[in-house]
């Protein structure tokens, strides 16, 4: 498809006001599915986590998972929403082969949570309050595989295969109200908002929150209106934008695309669009039409959800600290500079550093290990630093040995390498690799004497005040000690000897 | 007079994914028109302040615990499928949405 | 007709427990009869002698080991073909499900098996239970044993004709707007729709989820009570299943006593629009009850006037959604048009060919009732009518303990008579629909033969929600008044099928 014409971003922002709206789907990490007892499990053999209910077999009926309701209420509370005293499920009717019953059990006009807000801090420190319209419960659809055709995509496929393992996995859809006033920051705000939602559901442990697995998915609505205009412009909805970077790019692209059309006197078509990360643009999908008449009606096979005040308060007590508040608290407690802290956030290492600190390491040393040596090693092995086979406790214990003078930084790196190589706990690695600093002064002095014997002029030079001459002896001693000596102490001993 | 036009029938049939011939459309428009005229009396029966009843016996808060129950085997799941391949249900290509 | 096949289930259960007859003998007697006579009545869509006898054998084995697992242990039963069974195809009377063998048993079927009741076969019905004559079955209509040119009622005409023709001692039906009670009235049988939620709907191929309820079709009130005690009770697989037991229906039948009973006659369902002979039977029932000491009160339910209209919006709306799953992907028929069709084309062609005309009519009507711009006027108003009906009933039940109406406006009509007039067909359920809209229990008990055609008439007894016991108690009173008069149940007068 030919790439559409775009207005420059600066011109678009100059001329138009951007209004965005975001719908984020969060897959809950319950043990079983939303309406049946099949495992909510990623990566199983196709069609093995299925039963009459999630396959939509005739006669089957749904039964609501209590934990899924609890998690949905918790998400609502975390977003400062009101919790419905009478929430109801509704059927959203449309035909699609991944939808076993050809209706999705969702919520319509009585969602479990509504009217919330979340504060989002941009990189500049600017804070936006994003208003939340609602958070509602629904079920995921199955997974389609398109076979034949060039790219495994839906276009040109010969046939499709359906796996219903994901059908009926619980979802919470969080819908914002229209977000005004973000101006040129709209793309960044969109991505930061989705990241904030992801962080919240992850810290609450109600979702695995892995965007690459589709645990958190975003539909981005974008519309433009002439500055000063009252009426909202026609919006487009870009579906399933599944990385933070793509969200930012999608919003930016839509602003530029719509601006070009509007400036040329054209009309925006209300339609769903698709983002192509590889090609860096969105493309038109199906225009909104009468076919989007979903004929919602109350799900007659389920009864209302009327959470008691007591239940809601019980759930509220289990809420973890909000990620934004936690971040502020930790930065303050650790005394990290903004730049240092941003590094930590960007590499998603807050949990690891916090655990390392609470295992006894200083915040700065913990930060250096994780964002420095460990990040470097992870990078070499092409894995996420969080996935390295070393625990925060192990890192902290190694750091303690440095602090006590039992290891040098360099030896400590060997210990880390040993742990990563699966040689056991740090103490075991030190033992088996023989990595302790040699603190036996007799052995050091013997080594110094041996080195001095082969370089007899060194002592003279030192006595003449040329202290740098000691360097050659230190090098020889360290070599003799296979690096396991404290170079500073060796230097001290040489200088003493020269007196 | 009924509002059920042949075009409306065609639209409803497409929402309901039922293929209809022109002849069926005409016939259905006539039959449904009579039925709709008759059932439309409900609009006269109620005023705004009557609550809607969607469940005949009022109940609320019926949940199952979050535990795994036995699933079907893949073989059982696919046993009544008109067509399958690679452990999945096989269907004709889907209308190109892009 | 052998003695076994004309006996009530209660009598058969007695023969089994006293070892005078085995389950195998009884099951064999019914299989012999149905294999011979089903071609005349088309009551059964499926039966399998070996399978039924294997179940009977197991029941006998348990008895030999001294185990009696239910009051109906060993008594065979027919099951309406919209309940899933793992050992028999389940079609719901539709071409779209032809040959489907479900991967699971309906809860009610599981309970029958747990009660050691051999299943004789699957009975005919209007496609997806949409109809009141079985003429909309894709597998041909069932015939009324009282007159084979007439309908046995619907949708459960397979079950009602099996009972009246003595092709089964017991049958399971489902009732969305009268599909148990109307056929019972047409055939002189007893048919009960319990309170919504009293019997699990899990495994019942849904027509209208908020109206559907499973219940017994039998020869007598006691048989119905025995069967409801077996199939009722809470089921976690059905979220609308009542949490608490309604008690023993058999016990209620045994407590039947007319003293102090207040019988309400619904003004809106006691005069206009009923066949004179049916009206006469109804008046006779009321007269008998009064003579026996019941207090007769006229109650006013003005909202009943809108019940049929509300029903024919709610039912199609829910059905249009419930029947969306029939799409050729996971089970059932697949019709692939010529050329290079997309799955959308395949689905549309499958549903065109797989569904019959009445099903299509109702799906499209329901799609309309739910569609944007019409929802409030149609579906929304219909749900409000439901509230009005509940309010009228709540008031009526403060004046009377039970309400009585004729079950049906007419006796059994001729096959073909109404099949091309949907609206006339819909009016058959005028007296039975309010119970479904309100979720209350209702039962049809035979109350004579209409004078003009000599065909059975039924009286309907309605009780408040959860008061199924009261409904059975009064049904038993009414039944006894007639058995006392006739010296036998009405069904004993059914013509000899073998001679027809």
């Amino acid at each position: 498809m030919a790439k559409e014409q775009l207005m420059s971003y600066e011109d678009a922002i100059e001329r138009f006001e951007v209004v965005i709206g975001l719908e984020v789907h969060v897959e809950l990490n319950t043990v079983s599915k939303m309406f049946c007892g099949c495992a909510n499990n990623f990566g199983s053999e196709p069609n093995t986590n299925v039963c009459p209910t999630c396959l939509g077999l005739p006669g089957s009926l749904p039964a609501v998972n209590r934990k899924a309701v609890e998690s949905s209420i918790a998400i609502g509370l975390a977003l400062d929403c009101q919790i419905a005293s009478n929430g109801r499920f509704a059927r959203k009717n449309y035909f699609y082969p991944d939808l076993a019953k050809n209706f999705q059990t969702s919520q319509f006009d009585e969602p479990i949570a509504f009217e919330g807000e979340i504060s989002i801090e941009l990189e500049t420190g600017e804070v936006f309050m994003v208003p939340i319209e609602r958070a509602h419960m629904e079920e995921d659809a199955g997974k389609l595989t398109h076979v034949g055709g060039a790219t495994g995509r839906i276009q040109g496929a010969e046939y499709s295969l359906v796996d219903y393992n994901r059908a009926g996995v619980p979802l919470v859809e969080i819908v914002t109200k229209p977000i005004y006033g973000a101006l040129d920051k709209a793309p960044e705000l969109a991505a930061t908002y989705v990241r904030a939602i992801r962080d919240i559901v992850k810290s609450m442990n109600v979702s695995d929150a892995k965007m690459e697995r589709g645990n958190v998915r975003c539909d981005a609505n974008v519309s433009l209106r002439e500055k000063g205009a009252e009426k909202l412009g026609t919006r487009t909805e870009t579906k399933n934008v599944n990385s933070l970077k793509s969200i930012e790019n999608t919003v930016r692209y839509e602003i530029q695309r719509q601006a070009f059309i509007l400036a040329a006197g054209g009309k925006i078509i209300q339609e769903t669009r698709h983002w192509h990360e590889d090609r860096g643009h969105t493309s038109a999908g199906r225009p909104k039409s009468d076919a989007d008449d979903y004929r919602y009606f109350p799900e007659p096979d389920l009864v209302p959800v009327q959470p008691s005040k007591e239940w809601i308060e019980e759930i509220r007590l289990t809420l973890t600290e909000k990620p934004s508040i936690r971040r502020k608290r930790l930065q303050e407690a650790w005394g990290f500079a903004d730049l240092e802290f941003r590094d930590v956030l960007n590499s998603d290492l807050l949990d690891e550093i916090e655990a390392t600190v609470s295992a006894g390491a200083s915040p700065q040393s913990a930060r250096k290990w994780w964002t420095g040596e460990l990040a470097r090693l992870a990078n070499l092995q092409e894995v996420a630093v969080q996935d390295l086979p070393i625990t925060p406790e192990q890192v902290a214990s190694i750091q303690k040995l440095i602090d006590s003078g039992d290891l040098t930084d360099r030896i400590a790196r060997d210990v880390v390498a040993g742990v990563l190589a699966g040689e056991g706990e740090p103490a075991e690695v030190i033992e088996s690799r023989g990595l302790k600093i040699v603190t036996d002064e007799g052995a050091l002095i013997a080594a110094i004497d041996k080195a001095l014997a082969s370089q007899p002029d060194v002592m003279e030079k030192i006595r003449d005040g040329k202290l740098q001459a000691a360097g050659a002896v230190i090098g020889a001693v360290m070599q003799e000690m296979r690096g396991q000596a404290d170079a500073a102490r060796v230097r001290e001993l040489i200088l003493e000897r020269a007196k | 007079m009924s509002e059920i036009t042949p075009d409306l029938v065609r639209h409803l049939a497409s929402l309901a994914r039922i293929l209809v011939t022109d002849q069926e459309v005409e016939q259905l428009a006539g039959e449904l028109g009579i039925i709709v005229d008759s059932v439309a009396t409900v609009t006269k029966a109620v005023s705004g302040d009557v609550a809607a009843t969607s469940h005949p016996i009022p109940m609320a808060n019926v949940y199952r615990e979050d535990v795994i129950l036995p699933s079907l085997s893949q073989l059982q799941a696919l046993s009544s499928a008109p067509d399958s391949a690679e452990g999945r249900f096989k269907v004709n290509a889907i209308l190109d949405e892009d | 007709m052998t003695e076994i096949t004309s006996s009530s289930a209660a009598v058969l259960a007695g023969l089994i427990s006293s070892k005078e007859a085995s389950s195998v003998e009884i099951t064999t007697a019914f299989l012999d009869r149905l294999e011979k006579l089903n071609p005349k009545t088309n009551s059964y869509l499926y039966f399998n002698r070996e399978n039924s006898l294997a179940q009977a054998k197991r029941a006998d084995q348990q008895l030999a080991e001294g185990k009696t697992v239910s009051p109906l242990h060993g008594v065979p039963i027919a099951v309406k073909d919209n309940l899933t069974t793992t050992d028999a195809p389940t079609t719901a009377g539709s071409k779209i499900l032809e040959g489907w063998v479900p991967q699971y048993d309906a809860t009610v079927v599981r309970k029958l098996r747990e009660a050691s009741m051999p299943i004789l076969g699957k009975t005919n019905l209007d496609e997806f239970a949409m109809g009141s004559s079985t003429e909309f079955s894709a597998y041909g209509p069932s015939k009324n044993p009282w007159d084979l040119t007439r309908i046995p009622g619907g949708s459960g005409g397979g079950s009602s004709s099996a009972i009246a023709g003595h092709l089964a001692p017991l049958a399971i039906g489902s009732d969305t707007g009268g599909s148990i009670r109307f056929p019972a009235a047409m055939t002189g049988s007893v048919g009960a729709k319990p309170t919504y939620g009293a019997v699990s709907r899990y495994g019942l191929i849904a027509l209208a989820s908020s109206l559907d309820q499973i219940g017994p079709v039998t020869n007598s009130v006691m048989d119905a009570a025995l069967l409801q005690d077996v199939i009722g009770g809470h089921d976690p697989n059905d979220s609308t299943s009542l949490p608490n037991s309604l008690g023993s229906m058999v016990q209620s039948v045994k407590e039947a006593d007319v003293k102090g009973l207040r019988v309400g006659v619904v003004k809106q369902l006691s005069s206009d629009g009923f066949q004179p002979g049916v009206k006469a039977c109804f008046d006779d029932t009321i007269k008998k009850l009064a003579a026996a000491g019941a207090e007769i009160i006229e109650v006013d339910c003005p909202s009943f006037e809108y019940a049929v209209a509300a029903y024919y919006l709610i039912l199609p709306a829910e059905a249009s959604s419930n029947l969306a799953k029939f799409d050729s992907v996971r089970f059932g028929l697949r019709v692939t048009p010529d050329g290079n069709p997309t799955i959308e084309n395949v689905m549309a062609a499958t549903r065109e060919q797989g569904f019959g005309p009445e099903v299509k009519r109702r799906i499209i009507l329901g799609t309309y009732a739910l569609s944007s711009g019409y929802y409030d006027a149609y579906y929304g108003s219909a749900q409000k009518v439901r509230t009005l009906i509940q309010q009228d009933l709540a008031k009526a039940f403060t004046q009377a303990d039970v309400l009585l109406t004729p079950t049906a406006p007419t006796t059994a009509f001729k096959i073909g008579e109404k099949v091309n007039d949907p609206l006339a067909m819909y009016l058959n359920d005028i007296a039975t629909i309010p119970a479904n809209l309100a979720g209350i229990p209702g039962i049809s008990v035979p109350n004579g033969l209409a004078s003009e055609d000599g065909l059975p008439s039924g009286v309907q007894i309605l009780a408040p929600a959860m008061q199924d016991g009261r409904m059975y108690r009064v049904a038993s009173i009414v039944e006894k008044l007639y058995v006392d008069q006739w010296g036998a149940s009405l069904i004993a007068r059914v013509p000899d099928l073998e001679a027809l």
Side-chain angles (χ1 to χ4, degrees):
Chain A
M1 180 187 293
K3 215 167 158 172
E4 291 132 321
Q5 286 182 285
L6 307 179
M7 183 185 279
S8 88
Y9 188 67
E10 292 68 27
D11 291 349
I13 293 300
E14 182 65 34
R15 176 153 175 194
F16 295 101
E17 189 198 346
V18 184
V19 181
I20 57 174
L22 300 160
E23 295 165 21
V24 176
H25 287 86
V26 177
E27 255 183 15
L28 300 180
N29 61 359
T30 49
V31 173
S32 63
K33 291 186 180 180
M34 183 80 215
F35 300 117
C36 64
C38 290
N40 171 12
N41 193 11
F42 182 86
S44 301
E45 283 295 301
N47 295 304
T48 53
N49 299 330
V50 293
C51 72
T53 296
C54 57
L55 274 185
L57 295 185
S60 64
L61 293 171
V64 178
N65 182 336
R66 182 195 301 276
K67 180 72 201 313
V69 176
E70 205 167 272
S71 298
S72 308
I73 293 174
I75 289 173
L77 291 173
L79 298 174
D80 282 336
C81 287
Q82 298 181 49
I83 304 303
S85 56
N86 186 40
R88 261 207 296 192
F89 289 99
R91 292 187 185 176
K92 179 182 185 181
N93 293 288
Y94 66 97
F95 282 82
Y96 210 70
D98 63 4
L99 197 60
K101 299 163 290 180
N102 288 314
F103 62 79
Q104 182 190 32
T105 307
S106 178
Q107 295 194 287
F108 183 49
D109 51 357
E110 293 155 298
I112 185 78
F114 55 97
E115 293 288 332
E117 60 178 14
I118 175 174
S119 75
I120 301 296
E121 189 179 334
L122 300 184
E123 204 155 315
T124 54
E126 219 175 326
V127 173
F128 274 90
M129 288 309 282
V130 172
I132 307 290
E133 183 175 302
R134 56 190 276 145
H136 70 252
M137 302 180 272
E138 60 186 29
E139 57 179 335
D140 211 340
K143 207 170 153 54
L144 286 164
T145 312
H146 307 295
V147 183
T151 54
R153 299 176 57 80
I154 196 166
Q155 300 96 325
E158 287 162 33
Y159 59 92
S160 298
L161 297 173
V162 202
D163 168 13
Y164 291 100
N165 279 346
R166 198 179 62 186
V169 164
L171 293 177
V172 172
E173 180 176 343
I174 302 161
V175 184
T176 69
K177 293 182 180 174
I179 303 165
Y180 304 95
L183 308 175
D184 62 319
K185 302 282 174 37
E188 186 196 343
L189 177 60
T192 313
Y193 166 80
V194 175
R195 180 156 85 186
I197 298 289
R198 184 201 63 183
D199 289 350
I200 287 174
V201 296
K202 190 178 168 201
S203 77
M204 293 166 67
N205 193 27
V206 294
S207 171
D208 292 345
K210 291 187 173 141
M211 293 192 77
E212 68 277 14
R213 280 196 184 172
N215 296 146
V216 177
R217 321 196 275 265
C218 177
D219 300 341
N221 290 280
V222 177
S223 72
L224 301 184
R225 61 179 172 187
E226 293 275 354
K227 286 206 166 149
E230 283 248 334
K231 201 164 165 287
L232 283 175
T234 304
R235 69 189 166 88
T236 59
E237 178 180 19
T238 309
K239 287 274 190 195
N240 283 331
V241 198
N242 291 342
S243 78
L244 297 173
K245 188 164 147 262
S246 301
I247 291 164
E248 189 159 350
N249 290 340
T250 293
V251 174
R252 178 181 293 267
Y253 181 89
E254 272 302 290
I255 291 170
Q256 293 179 262
R257 188 187 68 86
Q258 293 185 18
F260 182 90
I261 294 171
L262 291 171
K267 276 206 164 110
I268 304 301
I269 303 162
Q270 190 175 355
E271 63 192 355
T272 53
R273 297 182 68 84
H274 305 276
W275 172 252
H276 308 281
E277 183 63 47
D278 47 344
R279 290 171 271 169
H281 67 88
T282 64
S283 69
R286 209 165 39 81
K288 287 270 173 195
S289 74
D290 288 351
D292 296 312
D293 185 347
Y294 292 123
R295 292 157 283 135
Y296 281 101
F297 72 105
E299 166 58 275
D301 286 325
L302 292 173
V303 301
V305 175
Q306 297 173 345
S308 67
K309 284 206 174 67
E310 294 71 35
W311 194 25
I312 294 171
E313 289 316 308
E314 225 171 87
I315 296 169
R316 199 191 297 277
L317 285 177
T318 67
L319 285 191
T320 45
E321 184 181 23
K322 274 187 195 158
S324 59
I325 292 172
R326 172 174 174 237
R327 285 199 294 267
K328 277 211 177 71
R329 175 175 61 79
L330 290 178
Q331 188 182 356
E332 221 160 84
W334 293 347
F336 285 3
D338 287 351
L339 214 62
E340 289 172 336
F341 199 66
R342 192 177 304 155
D343 266 0
V344 171
L345 293 182
N346 285 343
S347 44
D348 227 351
L349 284 165
L350 209 54
D351 291 346
E352 284 72 17
I353 292 173
E354 192 184 19
T356 309
V357 170
S358 53
S362 74
Q364 281 297 357
S365 63
R367 181 184 66 79
K368 280 183 197 152
W369 273 115
W370 286 103
T371 62
E373 175 68 3
L374 291 169
R376 187 184 68 84
L377 291 172
N379 199 30
L380 282 178
Q381 298 179 22
E382 296 183 338
V383 297
V385 60
Q386 293 87 348
D387 293 342
L388 285 176
I390 188 166
T391 66
E393 291 71 26
Q394 290 168 330
V395 173
S397 75
I398 293 168
Q399 180 60 38
K400 266 187 229 163
L401 293 172
I402 296 174
D403 295 342
S404 64
D406 288 321
L407 296 178
T408 61
D409 286 350
R410 211 194 63 74
I411 301 174
R413 286 200 286 274
D414 283 351
V415 178
V416 166
V419 172
L420 292 180
E423 294 167 22
E425 289 296 315
E428 296 170 275
V429 174
I430 289 165
E431 181 66 34
S432 64
R433 287 198 178 189
L435 287 177
K436 245 191 155 131
I437 291 181
V438 177
T439 49
D440 173 358
E441 302 234 325
L444 286 180
I445 288 166
I448 289 167
D449 287 347
K450 191 177 163 199
L452 286 174
S454 59
Q455 303 178 64
D457 54 332
V458 169
M459 288 310 255
E460 273 307 308
K461 286 181 182 163
I462 293 173
R463 288 194 191 104
D464 288 349
K466 293 178 183 163
L467 299 184
Q468 68 271 28
V473 179
I474 296 171
V477 171
M478 293 304 281
Q479 202 167 2
E480 176 77 17
M481 303 309 296
R482 301 203 334 271
Q484 284 163 256
D486 182 348
R489 181 67 189 144
V490 172
R491 183 186 159 86
E492 266 172 39
L493 288 171
I494 295 169
L495 295 184
E496 259 171 48
R497 205 110 182 106
K499 272 180 194 161
Chain B
M1 192 46 214
S2 164
E3 61 216 351
I4 308 292
T5 61
D7 275 350
L8 180 57
V9 170
R10 229 171 253 120
H11 167 61
L12 294 170
S14 107
L15 277 179
R17 276 276 198 285
I18 298 175
L19 191 69
V20 279
T21 62
D22 288 345
Q23 191 200 332
E24 277 177 303
V25 165
E26 291 296 331
Q27 193 188 336
L28 279 163
E31 289 167 352
L32 291 173
I34 295 168
I35 298 168
V36 168
D37 284 346
S38 167
V39 297
T41 55
V42 292
T43 57
K44 287 182 269 170
V46 292
S47 56
D49 55 358
V50 178
T53 295
S54 49
H55 286 86
I57 308 294
M59 281 169 51
N61 300 322
V62 177
Y63 306 114
R64 46 170 279 274
E65 298 308 319
D66 183 25
V67 291
I68 293 179
L69 300 171
S71 293
L72 298 173
S73 69
Q74 190 186 72
L75 205 66
Q76 286 174 311
L78 299 171
S79 64
S80 39
D83 198 2
S84 65
E86 300 167 47
R88 298 166 172 89
F89 296 88
K90 187 175 171 184
V91 298
N92 282 44
I94 296 164
L95 190 68
D96 186 350
E97 279 226 333
D98 281 4
Chain C
M1 196 185 308
T2 71
E3 205 175 306
I4 282 178
T5 54
S6 57
S7 299
S8 75
V11 166
L12 295 175
L15 293 177
I16 291 171
S17 68
S18 65
K19 307 242 158 77
E20 287 168 73
S22 68
S23 177
V24 167
E25 283 168 327
I26 290 170
T27 304
T28 303
F30 280 102
L31 287 167
D32 288 347
R33 184 168 167 84
L34 76 87
E35 281 176 3
K36 188 159 57 177
L37 297 175
N38 193 57
K40 289 192 177 182
T41 60
N42 196 28
S43 303
Y44 288 87
L45 295 178
Y46 177 87
F47 49 85
N48 178 327
R49 173 176 284 262
E50 286 70 36
N51 188 11
S52 302
L53 286 178
Q55 296 172 46
K57 213 169 278 171
R58 268 198 301 277
D60 285 336
Q61 234 153 28
Q62 287 177 314
L63 289 166
E65 292 160 12
K67 275 188 289 196
T68 305
V69 299
S70 79
L72 290 171
H73 190 123
V75 180
I77 186 164
V79 173
K80 192 175 180 181
D81 201 30
N82 56 357
L83 282 152
T84 58
T85 43
T86 50
D87 56 355
T90 300
T91 67
S94 180
K95 279 273 177 257
I96 210 161
L97 268 184
E98 190 164 13
W100 180 53
V101 181
Q103 289 95 322
Y104 73 110
D105 274 334
T107 297
V108 162
V109 170
R110 178 173 57 76
K111 288 188 176 224
L112 296 177
R113 297 196 202 283
E114 286 168 3
S116 289
M117 297 173 67
I119 294 172
L120 289 167
K122 305 293 291 287
T123 56
N124 196 14
L125 66 158
D126 288 289
E127 184 176 3
F128 291 107
M130 294 186 191
S132 44
S133 69
T134 68
E135 290 166 287
F136 294 128
S137 168
Y139 304 98
S142 297
K143 318 280 171 59
N144 193 325
W146 290 83
D147 176 347
L148 295 176
T149 67
R150 291 177 187 270
I151 59 103
S155 65
S159 286
S160 70
S161 63
I163 291 298
H166 299 302
L167 308 187
L170 293 166
I172 297 284
S174 69
D175 189 313
T176 307
S179 284
I180 288 174
R181 290 160 290 159
F182 183 76
M186 295 302 101
T187 56
S189 326
V190 172
K193 181 202 93 75
T195 296
Y196 182 82
V199 180
S200 169
R201 294 183 293 115
Y202 189 73
L204 169 67
I205 298 178
L207 171 51
S209 310
S210 76
L211 304 166
D212 294 344
Q213 184 56 202
I214 294 168
V217 186
T218 63
N219 283 316
S220 74
V221 174
M222 180 52 103
D223 283 2
L226 280 162
L227 186 50
Q228 184 164 338
D229 282 352
V230 168
I231 62 176
H234 179 71
D235 177 15
N237 284 327
D238 176 358
S239 301
T240 62
S241 161
L242 296 176
N244 300 316
S245 160
L246 299 180
S248 163
M249 301 304 133
V250 169
Q251 196 53 41
S252 297
V253 168
K254 288 180 179 161
E255 286 163 1
D257 180 0
V258 77
K259 214 166 77 189
L261 182 70
R262 298 174 303 163
V263 171
V265 174
V266 183
K267 193 171 142 191
Q268 284 74 13
L269 291 174
S270 59
S271 51
D272 296 347
F274 290 94
Q275 182 181 320
V278 170
K279 177 72 170 63
C281 288
F282 180 70
D283 291 343
D284 179 57
T285 305
I286 297 299
K287 210 163 66 192
K288 278 192 166 61
L289 279 167
E295 186 187 347
I296 310 295
I297 300 144
E298 188 182 69
V299 299
D300 192 14
C301 295
S303 62
F304 278 23
E305 193 186 321
Y306 303 104
V308 173
Y311 176 81
Y312 278 100
L313 287 164
I314 293 166
L315 178 144
E318 292 185 9
S320 71
S321 174
N322 283 333
L323 297 187
K325 58 172 65 87
F326 298 89
D327 64 359
S328 82
V329 177
R330 294 161 310 283
F331 51 82
L333 181 72
R334 175 177 292 182
V335 176
T336 306
D338 292 342
N340 191 19
T342 64
I343 178 64
E344 289 80 3
N345 303 140
V346 174
M347 285 183 185
T350 300
R351 290 164 64 81
E352 140 75 6
Q353 290 190 35
F355 290 143
E358 178 63 11
V359 172
K360 284 188 245 179
R361 215 158 24 228
R362 293 202 198 181
I363 288 176
I364 291 174
L365 178 60
T367 304
Y368 175 63
L370 289 176
S371 61
S372 124
Y374 301 105
Y375 179 95
D376 287 340
Y378 292 137
Y379 190 75
S381 298
Q383 297 285 45
K384 289 178 177 180
V385 167
R386 267 183 114 152
T387 308
L388 297 180
I389 287 171
Q390 289 196 324
Q391 288 168 354
D392 282 354
L393 282 168
K395 189 166 155 244
F397 282 124
T398 63
Q399 300 166 280
D401 300 316
V402 290
L403 306 181
L404 262 61
T405 76
T407 307
T410 65
T411 55
F413 46 89
K414 290 266 186 195
I415 290 170
E417 194 179 321
K418 297 185 182 178
V419 74
N420 292 318
D421 186 353
L423 220 49
M425 197 68 105
Y426 296 172
L427 288 173
N428 291 321
D429 292 332
I430 192 161
T432 45
I433 280 170
N436 299 83
L437 290 173
I440 64 170
I443 190 169
S444 179
V445 177
N447 65 344
L449 301 176
S451 55
E452 56 272 67
D453 51 22
L455 291 166
S457 161
V459 57
Q460 175 181 233
I461 297 144
L462 301 172
M466 331 269 189
Q467 301 299 326
D468 299 39
R470 189 191 298 175
M471 169 188 84
Y472 277 107
R473 184 160 61 83
V474 177
S476 176
I477 291 167
V478 171
E479 180 184 56
K480 186 164 183 305
L481 292 172
Y482 282 99
V483 172
D484 286 351
Q485 179 190 334
W486 300 329
S489 67
L490 186 69
I491 217 151
R493 288 196 255 163
V494 75
D496 182 3
L497 259 185
E498 297 192 50
L500 283 178

